[in-house]
Amino acid sequence: METLEQLEHKYFLLEMQDHWNSEDYRYADELKEKIKKLKEENRND
C-alpha cells in the first residue's frame, strides 16, 4: 500500500506535465480518490 506522501508526490509530478491526455485525467482522478481515502482513514485513527 502506498503512503499519503507517495500518492501526493505522484499527483504533484502529474500536475507538472505540460500536456495531459485523457489517461492522465483518469489517473489524476484515481490519485485524488486514493489521497482522499487515506486522509479520511488517518482522521479516523
Side-chain angles (χ1 to χ4, degrees):
M1 180 178 238
E2 294 173 298
T3 66
L4 183 58
E5 288 175 354
Q6 289 171 321
L7 291 172
E8 287 178 335
H9 181 69
K10 286 180 180 182
Y11 188 73
F12 171 76
L13 292 177
L14 186 61
E15 285 185 312
M16 293 299 106
Q17 287 182 195
D18 288 336
H19 302 285
W20 282 26
N21 60 31
S22 60
E23 187 63 33
D24 293 327
Y25 286 104
R26 232 174 289 141
Y27 185 52
D29 288 342
E30 184 182 308
L31 285 174
K32 281 191 274 187
E33 281 301 309
K34 286 182 180 180
I35 289 168
K36 183 180 168 185
K37 243 175 124 174
L38 268 179
K39 284 183 177 181
E40 287 175 5
E41 287 175 9
N42 289 341
R43 240 183 274 137
N44 294 335
D45 287 346

